[in-house]
């Protein structure tokens, strides 16, 4: 919770999704007094009129949200759903879209055969204006990145309707005018309204910025400002005792690290620093990640292999080989146990078996690419041995 809140600049708006990424933040603010200037906005609760009402009031150091929708337009049963009924191919500013939806004119409504009347939006081409001078002045975009600013932001809204929460978020974005920093705790969900290409990974949260970063895969959403991210991970964030052998991490703690994809975020930072020629800092980042996420506390996974790849690119083969050698041993132990079970049980854990096999295969391929012959021979031998035994076991169950 501390790290989510401290991913944000002063007086930020932070959109959260559900219980587990909201309640701890509320506790941190309400009880510990941490970053009470940040307004935490739960997207699920934003479907409720009483919660919208709360967001329109100041809370601690956080000013009221810039919501222009009048009370009677978001009461329960009003604008619970706003449909996209494409009547034009023209792009519309968010403020014009809001004005259309809030209008009482008959031509701005849809009427069903049963006589029900609904608000709608006549285009799926949305536009969010950008004041270039302002976003540089207030630090949303650094001066060195000014040439990358997209003004205005235009995108196609893919869904066929907006929930009340979506509708209010559009209103906030339309009226915020880039004055307050806007963040999301995660990407790739409906609540981001299709703006993921304009995200910047600032630690445990993504900041909305007017710079487009194409999405090549769902693991690498958002651009990276290496200076900001380095400061967050290496100086600002608190890690508690997550790597202390005497502290127990239950399944939920471990799953949270997977959901946050902590290793992946460290690796992305290290790779960006490597591109910039900051190799010493990149190695420090990877070392920090390795220290925080030992296998005994956070089991090795796909991103551990990615970390080894980053070490290889930094000519730190000894550290990369240590990870691959240890993970190879772990997968060997898993597979030895899995494949020693009864056929029916083996059939029930196919995903676990295939995952371990695929991890050994990835590690073998990486060791081959980086010319680590001794390790490659060992991993290839493990892969062939377990795969042959696995196939034999399957054939005996048919």
């Amino acid at each position: 919770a501390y790290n989510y809140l401290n991913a944000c600049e002063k007086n930020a708006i932070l959109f959260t999704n559900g219980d587990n990424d909201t309640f701890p933040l509320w506790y941190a603010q309400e009880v510990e007094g941490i970053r009470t200037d940040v307004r935490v906005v739960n997207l699920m609760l934003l479907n409720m009129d009483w919660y919208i009402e709360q967001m329109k009031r100041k809370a601690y150091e956080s000013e009221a949200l810039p919501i222009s929708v009048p009370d009677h337009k978001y009461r329960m049963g009003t604008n619970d759903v706003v449909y996209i009924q494409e009547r034009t191919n023209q792009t519309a500013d968010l403020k014009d879209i809001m004005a259309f939806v809030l209008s009482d004119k008959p031509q701005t409504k849809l009427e069903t055969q049963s006589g029900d009347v609904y608000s709608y939006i006549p285009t799926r081409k949305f536009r969010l204006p950008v004041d270039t001078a302002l976003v540089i002045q207030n630090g949303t975009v650094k001066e060195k990145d000014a040439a990358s600013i997209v003004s205005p932001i235009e995108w196609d809204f893919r869904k066929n309707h907006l929930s009340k929460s979506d509708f209010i978020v559009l209103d906030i974005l339309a009226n915020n005018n880039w004055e307050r920093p806007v963040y999301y705790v995660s990407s790739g969900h409906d609540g981001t309204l299709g703006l993921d290409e304009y995200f910047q990974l600032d630690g445990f949260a993504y900041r909305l910025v007017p710079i487009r970063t194409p999405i090549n895969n769902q693991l690498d959403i958002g651009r990276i400002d290496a200076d900001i991210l380095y400061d967050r991970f290496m100086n600002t964030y608190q890690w508690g005792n997550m790597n202390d052998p005497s502290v127990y991490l239950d399944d939920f703690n471990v799953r949270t690290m997977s959901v946050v994809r902590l290793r992946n975020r460290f690796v992305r930072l290290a790779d960006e620093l490597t591109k910039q020629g900051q190799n010493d800092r990149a190695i420090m980042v990877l070392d920090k990640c390795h220290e925080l996420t030992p296998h005994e506390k956070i089991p090795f996974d796909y991103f551990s292999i990615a970390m080894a790849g980053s070490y290889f690119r930094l000519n730190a083969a000894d550290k990369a080989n240590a990870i691959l050698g240890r993970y190879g041993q772990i997968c060997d132990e898993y597979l030895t146990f899995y494949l020693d079970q009864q056929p029916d049980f083996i059939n029930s854990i196919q995903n676990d078996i295939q995952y371990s096999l695929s991890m050994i295969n990835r590690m073998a391929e990486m060791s081959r690419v980086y010319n680590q012959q001794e390790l490659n021979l060992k991993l290839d031998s493990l892969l062939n041995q377990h795969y042959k035994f696995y196939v034999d076991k399957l054939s005996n169950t048919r």
Side-chain angles (χ1 to χ4, degrees):
Y2 176 92
N3 293 346
Y4 273 120
L5 291 169
N6 280 287
C8 302
E9 295 296 333
K10 187 172 178 57
N11 202 31
I13 299 168
L14 176 60
F15 292 115
T16 61
N17 298 319
D19 298 348
N20 297 326
D21 56 25
T22 301
F23 296 154
L25 276 64
W26 282 346
Y27 169 84
Q29 291 183 315
E30 299 281 348
V31 179
E32 304 289 347
I34 296 169
R35 293 301 305 273
T36 52
D37 60 297
V38 176
R39 179 59 64 98
V40 176
V41 186
N42 182 286
L43 292 173
M44 294 175 65
L45 292 178
L46 205 58
N47 286 298
M48 306 298 172
D49 50 11
W50 57 266
Y51 186 71
I52 298 170
E53 190 66 34
Q54 286 185 8
M55 296 299 100
K56 295 173 70 175
R57 298 197 295 266
K58 182 174 180 176
Y60 298 111
E61 286 75 44
S62 170
E63 295 297 330
L65 294 187
I67 297 173
S68 68
V69 182
D71 297 3
H72 67 283
K73 291 290 186 178
Y74 62 75
R75 290 298 172 210
M76 193 66 69
T78 303
N79 290 322
D80 291 340
V81 178
V82 178
Y83 293 97
I84 306 292
Q85 186 74 28
E86 205 166 358
R87 301 284 177 85
T88 176
N89 199 37
Q90 293 184 345
T91 304
D93 278 4
L94 293 190
K95 285 188 177 180
D96 293 335
I97 289 172
M98 297 305 300
F100 187 91
V101 173
L102 296 175
S103 172
D104 291 323
K105 294 179 180 179
Q107 58 266 38
T108 66
K109 306 301 172 191
L110 292 175
E111 185 173 353
T112 66
Q113 291 182 345
S114 61
D116 294 325
V117 177
Y118 293 95
S119 298
Y120 80 102
I121 297 172
T123 181
R124 59 177 66 252
K125 293 184 177 296
F126 293 3
R127 179 191 295 122
L128 178 60
V130 177
D131 184 332
T132 302
L134 177 63
V135 296
I136 293 174
Q137 178 187 338
N138 64 21
T140 302
V141 176
K142 290 184 178 178
E143 184 75 46
K144 66 183 178 65
D145 297 319
S148 300
I149 293 176
V150 176
S151 179
I153 291 175
E154 296 183 347
W155 78 103
D156 288 348
F157 189 75
R158 299 297 182 184
K159 295 198 306 179
N160 293 321
H161 68 275
L162 281 78
S163 65
K164 182 173 291 182
S165 175
D166 296 334
F167 177 57
I168 297 298
V169 171
L170 281 184
D171 188 47
I172 292 170
L173 296 179
N175 293 292
N176 184 49
N177 298 317
W178 298 95
E179 293 173 359
R180 294 174 69 171
V182 173
Y183 294 84
Y184 290 82
V185 298
S186 61
S187 60
H189 56 85
D190 286 347
T192 63
L193 304 177
L195 286 166
D196 303 64
E197 289 191 326
Y198 296 92
F199 280 4
Q200 175 175 289
L201 180 61
D202 276 6
F204 273 32
Y206 294 89
R207 184 172 185 173
L208 182 66
V209 296
I211 298 176
R212 182 174 178 267
T213 305
I215 299 172
N216 297 317
N217 65 73
Q218 293 301 310
L219 299 179
D220 296 329
I221 291 177
R223 71 188 298 273
I224 288 177
D225 184 308
D227 292 334
I228 292 176
L229 201 54
Y230 182 88
D231 183 59
R232 298 274 197 275
F233 281 156
M234 304 299 286
N235 302 318
T236 303
Y237 280 175
Q238 297 179 358
W239 304 104
N241 296 309
M242 60 183 285
N243 58 341
D244 185 336
S246 67
V247 173
Y248 174 67
L249 298 185
D250 63 19
D251 181 64
F252 180 76
N253 296 139
V254 174
R255 266 194 305 118
T256 298
M257 292 302 100
S258 298
V259 171
V260 173
R261 296 200 287 261
L262 185 60
R263 286 191 181 109
N264 182 45
R265 297 187 180 198
F266 271 96
V267 167
R268 291 190 64 193
L269 172 58
D271 288 347
E272 182 62 28
L273 290 167
T274 303
K275 290 177 186 175
Q276 297 179 8
Q278 301 186 56
N279 291 6
D280 290 344
R281 293 179 92 192
I283 287 179
M284 289 170 62
V285 166
L286 294 173
D287 288 349
K288 180 74 170 180
C289 181
H290 193 49
E291 172 195 339
L292 287 172
T293 60
H295 169 75
E296 292 73 20
K297 305 303 296 290
I298 311 292
F300 280 174
D301 55 18
Y302 171 87
F303 299 115
S304 302
I305 301 174
M307 192 190 312
S310 297
Y311 271 131
F312 276 131
R313 288 187 288 277
L314 289 161
N315 297 316
D318 55 336
K319 296 184 177 185
N321 287 335
I323 293 174
L324 297 185
R326 177 77 175 106
Y327 196 13
Q329 177 188 4
I330 291 164
C331 289
D332 178 30
E333 292 170 357
Y334 285 164
L335 287 166
T336 299
F337 172 77
Y338 294 153
L339 296 174
D340 190 43
Q341 307 307 309
Q342 295 299 315
D344 287 346
F345 186 72
I346 289 176
N347 280 329
S348 73
I349 56 171
Q350 295 275 356
N351 288 341
D352 300 279
I353 294 171
Q354 291 172 12
Y355 181 79
S356 291
L357 288 171
S358 70
M359 291 300 99
I360 295 178
N361 185 51
R362 284 182 181 276
M363 289 186 282
E365 178 62 25
M366 180 173 288
S367 63
R368 185 179 304 110
V369 167
Y370 290 101
N371 200 32
Q372 304 299 306
Q373 296 180 2
E374 182 180 347
L375 180 60
N376 177 251
L377 287 173
K378 182 178 179 180
L379 290 170
D380 273 342
S381 175
L382 281 178
L383 181 63
N384 292 332
Q385 169 193 333
H386 286 300
Y387 184 72
K388 182 179 183 303
F389 195 53
Y390 174 51
V391 172
D392 289 344
K393 280 272 189 175
L394 285 182
S395 62
N396 290 334
T397 63
R398 296 190 179 116

